Amino acid sequence: HVDFSAEMERVLSVLDCAVLVISAADGVQAHTRTLWRLLARHRLPVFLFVNKMDLPNPGPAELLAALRRDLDGGCADFSSPETIAEAAATCEETLLDRYLAGATIADREVAELIRRRALFPVCFGAALNLEGVDAFLEVLDRYTLSAVYPDTFAAQVFNVTREGGDRLTFLKVTGGRLKVRTQLSG
């Protein structure tokens, strides 16, 4: 939502991936395009959940076509293994050759396409009714590559606030471990 733009922009630099929720009834709005450009600038993989499919809407095929037109041609229906394999195969010629020869495309290969922003999984549902939510979470879990961080402690600060007399620092740990009451300098 546009009201949370400042907070959203502040955390973009520390995300590993993003989930973009789009209303099936409203489709891609101007603010959605702005968010899409910001996510592209930060090179973040994006998983899309088209919500409110229980309300009147154009339907999955039309919504997917609009996402491809308004956001990226790599938006793909991830509702079945067949649609996932087809979408992955269209991203690279070597995958297409293997797919046409009947070979299986591995989950890791699909995840790598998503990481490189060549493929954007799209799932449909109605979150309020818990329809499609489990399937979306399965897609998110299955096709998200875990970041590999070094053993040496490192972190990126993305926000500093005050609460009462205390200063709170929000950070993403990008290496090693941070224990309670550890003093940091630097």
Side-chain angles (χ1 to χ4, degrees):
H1 192 276
V2 71
D3 291 346
F4 302 105
S5 294
E7 292 85 357
M8 186 272 314
E9 286 187 55
R10 192 173 11 256
V11 301
L12 283 178
S13 64
V14 296
L15 296 179
D16 293 323
C17 69
V19 173
L20 186 60
V21 180
I22 297 175
S23 168
D26 299 330
V28 174
Q29 301 292 303
H31 188 62
T32 312
R33 288 185 194 90
T34 300
L35 291 173
W36 191 261
R37 286 189 299 273
L38 286 169
L39 293 166
R41 186 178 313 142
H42 287 272
R43 301 290 306 146
L44 286 168
V46 180
F47 292 77
L48 296 99
F49 184 76
V50 180
N51 194 25
K52 300 182 182 181
M53 290 298 292
D54 56 332
L55 300 177
N57 65 73
E62 293 82 1
L63 289 164
L64 185 61
L67 292 173
R68 288 177 175 155
R69 180 189 66 239
D70 296 338
L71 298 179
D72 191 283
C75 291
D77 182 356
F78 266 52
S79 61
S80 74
E82 185 60 30
T83 59
I84 294 169
E86 287 175 8
T90 62
C91 291
E92 287 185 0
E93 194 170 328
T94 56
L95 290 178
L96 181 59
D97 291 341
R98 287 183 29 225
Y99 176 75
L100 293 174
T104 303
I105 297 174
D107 288 353
R108 177 132 183 109
E109 293 172 298
V110 174
E112 181 59 31
L113 291 169
I114 295 167
R115 187 193 64 75
R116 290 191 344 240
R117 294 180 50 85
L119 188 59
F120 301 95
V122 178
C123 296
F124 300 91
L128 196 57
N129 300 329
L130 298 179
E131 294 171 14
V133 174
D134 287 341
F136 176 73
L137 292 175
E138 170 64 26
V139 165
L140 189 62
D141 181 55
R142 189 174 192 168
Y143 298 108
T144 302
L145 296 175
S146 297
V148 178
Y149 297 117
D151 292 335
T152 304
F153 179 77
Q156 180 178 357
V157 174
F158 65 92
N159 193 14
V160 178
T161 64
R162 290 214 176 269
E163 188 173 298
D166 297 327
R167 185 173 70 173
L168 300 176
T169 304
F170 296 84
L171 52 90
K172 175 183 180 179
V173 176
T174 57
R177 294 178 182 226
L178 180 63
K179 295 180 182 176
V180 175
R181 301 200 190 290
T182 300
Q183 293 291 320
L184 300 176
S185 61

